[in-house]
Amino acid sequence: MVHSGLLVCSFFIKDRYGRDNSKAIELNNSITINGIETTEYYENVWEILRSFLTNHSMPKDDENSMKLFSVNPKSIHEEDDKEYHAITFVVNSGSYGIEGNITNRNTKSVMYHRTRDDADVKQFHATLFIPKDAGGVKVQKGILLFQTIGTYGIKTITTKQMKEFFASKDLTFETRSVSVAIFLKKIFEDGNLNKITLIKNAISPDPADSMLISSGREEKVYIKPRLKESWIKKLIAFIDGNKDDTIFEINESVYEDISITFNLSGRTRTVRLKDLDRFSLTEDIPDSIYNNGLTNPDKLTRFMINKAIEYKEKMIFRVSE
């Protein structure tokens, strides 16, 4: 059975040489790029995103990752709502570099010999979603959704191409978790948490070791823990930006970091909380939309936009916050 899912992440854009993420561009405002010899003006970020999509209609050979990448120009569709703007499109991508035989499973006969230059190109749906400014909030973050098919996906190759394209315009394109708070709540509420590890530097009690900064690392592991609601709220508040220096102080012991091990989309993964912001959520696509390789494109597009709207209600769209 081949299953399909949605990988959800957020994105923001800033000046290429800006060091501070809080100086991210307001996506619904006009953008002026001052080059050495020319100045480029865009009404909003959608002009740049449309240019990226149309400029990648022909397959691009990424030799480092050994993949082909292109955007089907006929698949590009825009939806402009009073609360958001979205573009849906189809990415054609696949890997090459491995020889093999394409064999019919029924007749058992070899239909084609695949060479190292033959790429197994598949079609993946994707969506770019940006909320409209509202309530005095100037939006700096948008949402990206990528379809996954089995173990295959397009986030890495697509975001790499987008980074290169924006860099050519002296801009930096960055992706992050759609919301760390949403991510953690999903892990805790779905019962997918396997292990919590508290990490701190171990100081030797032997005075003879006083010349050492530390004598190793101490880890305290809790298997299948049941966490108090008050501690979960404190943890989420810390990760989501409301810093509290005592978050890693547990039972009068101060810890440098905490790692969590959890199940996500059928795989067991471990991540340290300091790195959690770079994770992406994966949502299952219902079998009524994608069933063992058969899909309804219109229903899938609607599902992706509705999922983005769902996350929109829970996100903070200012990078500085």
Side-chain angles (χ1 to χ4, degrees), residues 26-30 43-46 85 130-133 138-139:
E26 293 173 347
L27 301 178
N28 293 311
N29 287 9
S30 60
E43 184 178 348
N44 52 46
V45 74
W46 288 113
H85 192 102
I130 299 175
K132 300 286 183 68
D133 296 344
K138 295 289 187 178
V139 171

Side-chain angles (χ1 to χ4, degrees), residues 16 33 40 42 48 51 164-171:
R16 188 178 183 187
I33 303 173
E40 296 183 44
Y42 299 93
I48 307 178
S51 179
E164 292 179 359
F165 183 80
F166 275 84
S168 69
K169 298 184 178 297
D170 286 334
L171 295 172

Side-chain angles (χ1 to χ4, degrees), residues 13-30:
I13 301 163
K14 63 178 183 177
D15 291 334
R16 188 178 183 187
Y17 302 105
R19 297 181 179 179
D20 191 352
N21 287 347
S22 65
K23 295 182 180 179
I25 290 172
E26 293 173 347
L27 301 178
N28 293 311
N29 287 9
S30 60

Side-chain angles (χ1 to χ4, degrees), residues 263-312:
N263 294 323
L264 183 65
S265 298
R267 292 187 296 168
T268 300
R269 308 179 72 175
T270 299
V271 61
R272 295 173 62 167
L273 294 189
K274 291 180 180 179
D275 301 326
L276 190 58
D277 192 44
R278 295 183 180 274
F279 261 67
S280 301
L281 285 167
T282 303
E283 295 272 357
D284 289 332
I285 294 176
D287 291 340
S288 59
I289 298 176
Y290 186 96
N291 189 349
N292 202 27
L294 299 176
T295 184
N296 184 314
D298 293 335
K299 286 186 177 181
L300 179 56
T301 296
R302 191 72 258 155
F303 178 77
M304 296 176 78
I305 292 178
N306 287 341
K307 187 60 65 174
I309 294 173
E310 178 183 326
Y311 281 112
K312 176 181 77 72

Side-chain angles (χ1 to χ4, degrees), residues 11-73:
F11 71 90
F12 66 90
I13 301 163
K14 63 178 183 177
D15 291 334
R16 188 178 183 187
Y17 302 105
R19 297 181 179 179
D20 191 352
N21 287 347
S22 65
K23 295 182 180 179
I25 290 172
E26 293 173 347
L27 301 178
N28 293 311
N29 287 9
S30 60
I31 300 172
T32 301
I33 303 173
N34 296 311
I36 297 177
E37 298 180 352
T38 61
T39 297
E40 296 183 44
Y41 174 85
Y42 299 93
E43 184 178 348
N44 52 46
V45 74
W46 288 113
E47 286 193 41
I48 307 178
L49 292 171
R50 291 187 195 100
S51 179
F52 166 78
L53 296 175
T54 55
N55 283 327
H56 287 80
S57 59
M58 297 299 294
K60 180 178 179 180
D61 185 359
D62 187 333
E63 295 185 6
N64 289 330
S65 61
M66 302 182 75
K67 286 185 176 182
L68 296 181
F69 174 87
S70 66
V71 175
N72 183 350

